[in-house]
Amino acid sequence: MTTTAIQGCYRQAKETPSHEAQPGDTLVVKGGAEIRLTHTFKPGEPNGLFDGGIRVTTDQSVTSTAEVNAVCSMPDLPNWPQYDNIYGRWLTDGETPGVEGGKTDWQLLLYFNGQTEEKGREPAPAWAQRLAQNLCRKGDFLDD
């Protein structure tokens, strides 16, 4: 009975759609990690390039920051790839997203047929796919 009462008190953070999020809001909760917005994702040109900053906190209370970019496409859009692309790099203490640029630690392609492909120097984090869904599928993004 005590275990049930304790579990009932725990509340998972609610995911906020990226286009409604403010710094500090939770964007993704996935696999023991909570991803919070630190620097608002700025839309780019021409077809949904997003660039922003996040803080990742795991259930072991390990916190790290990253700069993340997503290039969003649309199925059957002429001259555009048939996948969404999310990539990022881990930041050092005190580093601000969007200042350095260039290097990418991880990259994940999310094909519209359901396949995924790793392209980075290291594996994409478990939450990367969910974050890409938040950034790219605005109208369809709902809490799990």
Side-chain angles (χ1 to χ4, degrees):
M1 181 114 159
T2 305
T3 303
T4 303
I6 292 170
Q7 289 174 341
C9 294
Y10 174 76
R11 290 188 169 239
Q12 181 174 327
K14 180 173 175 22
E15 294 178 324
T16 304
S18 63
H19 63 282
E20 298 173 3
Q22 299 295 318
D25 287 348
T26 298
L27 298 173
V28 170
V29 178
K30 178 81 175 177
E34 183 175 351
I35 313 311
R36 290 183 175 261
L37 181 66
T38 61
H39 291 78
T40 304
F41 281 86
K42 298 177 185 111
E45 295 292 331
N47 190 44
L49 167 66
F50 294 91
D51 180 15
I54 59 168
R55 174 174 290 113
V56 180
T57 304
T58 66
D59 53 4
Q60 293 89 19
S61 298
V62 175
T63 301
S64 53
T65 56
E67 174 179 58
V68 174
N69 295 279
V71 181
C72 305
S73 192
M74 293 170 49
D76 303 319
L77 188 64
N79 300 317
W80 278 91
Q82 293 300 296
Y83 56 80
D84 290 328
N85 179 1
I86 187 166
Y87 54 99
R89 69 181 186 89
W90 302 108
L91 300 175
T92 59
D93 287 340
E95 190 177 7
T96 302
V99 173
E100 182 72 21
K103 298 178 184 173
T104 298
D105 293 322
W106 53 267
Q107 181 176 14
L108 182 63
L109 305 181
L110 304 158
Y111 290 90
F112 297 132
N113 66 7
Q115 294 179 353
T116 60
E117 183 180 357
E118 299 272 352
K119 299 288 278 188
R121 295 182 297 148
E122 62 185 60
W127 45 262
Q129 184 169 357
R130 182 75 176 152
L131 182 57
Q133 291 168 342
N134 192 334
L135 292 167
C136 294
R137 304 282 76 84
K138 290 182 175 126
D140 298 329
F141 183 76
L142 299 172
D143 284 345
D144 278 340

